[in-house]
Amino acid sequence: MNVSTVEIEKAASILKLLGDKTRLTMVMLLNNHDCCVCEFVEIFKMSQPAISQHLRKLKDAGVVRETRRGQWIIYSLNQDSDFYSLVQSVLGHLPSQDYLLEELKEQGLRISCE
Amino acid sequence: MNVSTVEIEKAASILKLLGDKTRLTMVMLLNNHDCCVCEFVEIFKMSQPAISQHLRKLKDAGVVRETRRGQWIIYSLNQDSDFYSLVQSVLGHLPSQDYLLEELKEQGLRISCE
DNA sequence: TGCTTATATAAGCAAATCATTATATGTTAA
DNA sequence: TTAACATATAATGATTTGCTTATATAAGCA
């Protein structure tokens, strides 16, 4: 793992972003699978604007990026971010959250966005 | 480095704690040197209660511990914490903040607490 | 074109956060 | 035992956060 150094103030702002259970889980999921907003809405049982606002913060910080695919906007982890290696280090300590996507699949809700 | 897994909710709460510049710098300093409250007051140019409150949060989370030495209370990193390895991973991405202690030493303020 | 779906933005609000000042506690030393 | 020093706790207030509802924007499709 490449351990690049990050200014302490910027690091704090990234850690603050990751210091929210919803956002941390989002990033954890995005580390393995691209996802669209509607999937997160299902997973977190949260309003669509709430999800959009979390994603916007992550995007503003450069942690994730978005790509439009038809009417969907697909979010993915930004591997070019200055903070990518910091984020990876953190994620390495967390248990996989992929069961959340499995549950979606069982409900037939995962496919809708792919 | 031992990469132990941490429940995602607890991880988020630790990251939130580290997501504050003052606390992150404190932890960074404590990683190499034990410090007392009065030193942090000097370093951060912040009121003593503000420093105490930051340290209390870190202590409540088990990240740091305190030892009384005479009238001083010395804070140190809790190496037995469940989150120690997560914290270490994060700190590994930050530049040393030891210059802050060097400055204290030059002012003759570091010695007072040792 | 107009309806539906997916997402973003705006406005508002309750709760949490981070500082402050004032005060209490505990240790040392005269 | 009283004064000084180091630290903690309490009360308070401004700011930030994370949600909500309402509305705007944009793409797909009948």
Side-chain angles (χ1 to χ4, degrees):
Chain A
M1 172 81 65
N2 169 35
V3 177
S4 60
T5 292
V6 164
E7 205 182 308
I8 199 153
E9 199 147 353
K10 288 183 181 174
S13 73
I14 296 299
L15 295 171
K16 176 182 277 185
L17 278 182
L18 299 182
D20 173 276
K21 192 196 175 187
T22 302
R23 284 190 298 262
L24 185 58
T25 307
M26 281 176 165
V27 172
M28 194 66 188
L29 290 172
L30 291 175
N31 196 32
N32 298 322
H33 319 270
D34 295 355
C35 293
C36 70
V37 177
C38 61
E39 291 174 314
F40 285 135
V41 171
E42 278 303 318
I43 288 173
F44 295 108
K45 313 285 183 218
M46 208 176 271
S47 73
Q48 174 266 314
I51 298 295
S52 274
Q53 284 157 16
H54 281 305
L55 287 167
R56 181 162 224 289
K57 287 180 187 182
L58 291 170
K59 199 188 71 175
D60 285 350
V63 173
V64 307
R65 64 183 150 208
E66 57 177 40
T67 325
R68 181 172 279 279
R69 192 151 85 205
Q71 60 190 318
W72 293 287
I73 294 182
I74 310 295
Y75 282 86
S76 54
L77 220 58
N78 178 11
Q79 303 192 323
D80 299 331
S81 161
D82 290 342
F83 312 112
Y84 182 71
S85 109
L86 169 62
V87 170
Q88 286 302 310
S89 290
V90 169
L91 298 187
H93 291 270
L94 307 181
S96 168
Q97 301 297 303
D98 287 355
Y99 74 94
L100 294 167
L101 287 173
E102 295 301 327
E103 286 174 13
L104 263 202
K105 227 174 249 175
E106 284 166 22
Q107 297 175 263
L109 293 169
R110 168 78 175 154
I111 307 97
S112 66
C113 286
E114 283 186 316
Chain B
M1 174 82 66
N2 170 36
V3 178
S4 61
T5 291
V6 164
E7 207 183 305
I8 198 154
E9 199 147 353
K10 288 183 180 173
S13 72
I14 296 299
L15 295 171
K16 177 182 277 184
L17 278 182
L18 299 182
D20 174 275
K21 193 195 174 188
T22 302
R23 284 190 300 262
L24 185 58
T25 307
M26 281 177 165
V27 172
M28 194 66 189
L29 289 172
L30 291 175
N31 196 32
N32 298 322
H33 318 271
D34 296 355
C35 293
C36 71
V37 177
C38 61
E39 290 174 312
F40 286 135
V41 171
E42 276 304 318
I43 288 172
F44 295 110
K45 312 284 183 221
M46 207 176 274
S47 72
Q48 175 267 314
I51 297 296
S52 273
Q53 284 156 16
H54 281 305
L55 287 168
R56 180 162 225 287
K57 286 180 187 182
L58 291 171
K59 198 189 71 174
D60 286 349
V63 174
V64 307
R65 64 184 149 207
E66 56 177 42
T67 324
R68 180 174 280 279
R69 194 152 83 206
Q71 59 190 320
W72 293 287
I73 294 181
I74 309 295
Y75 282 86
S76 55
L77 220 57
N78 177 12
Q79 302 193 325
D80 298 331
S81 162
D82 290 343
F83 311 112
Y84 182 71
S85 108
L86 169 62
V87 170
Q88 285 302 309
S89 291
V90 169
L91 297 187
H93 291 269
L94 307 180
S96 168
Q97 301 297 303
D98 287 354
Y99 73 94
L100 294 168
L101 287 173
E102 294 302 325
E103 286 174 13
L104 263 201
K105 224 172 255 176
E106 284 166 22
Q107 297 175 263
L109 293 169
R110 169 79 176 153
I111 306 97
S112 65
C113 286
E114 281 186 318

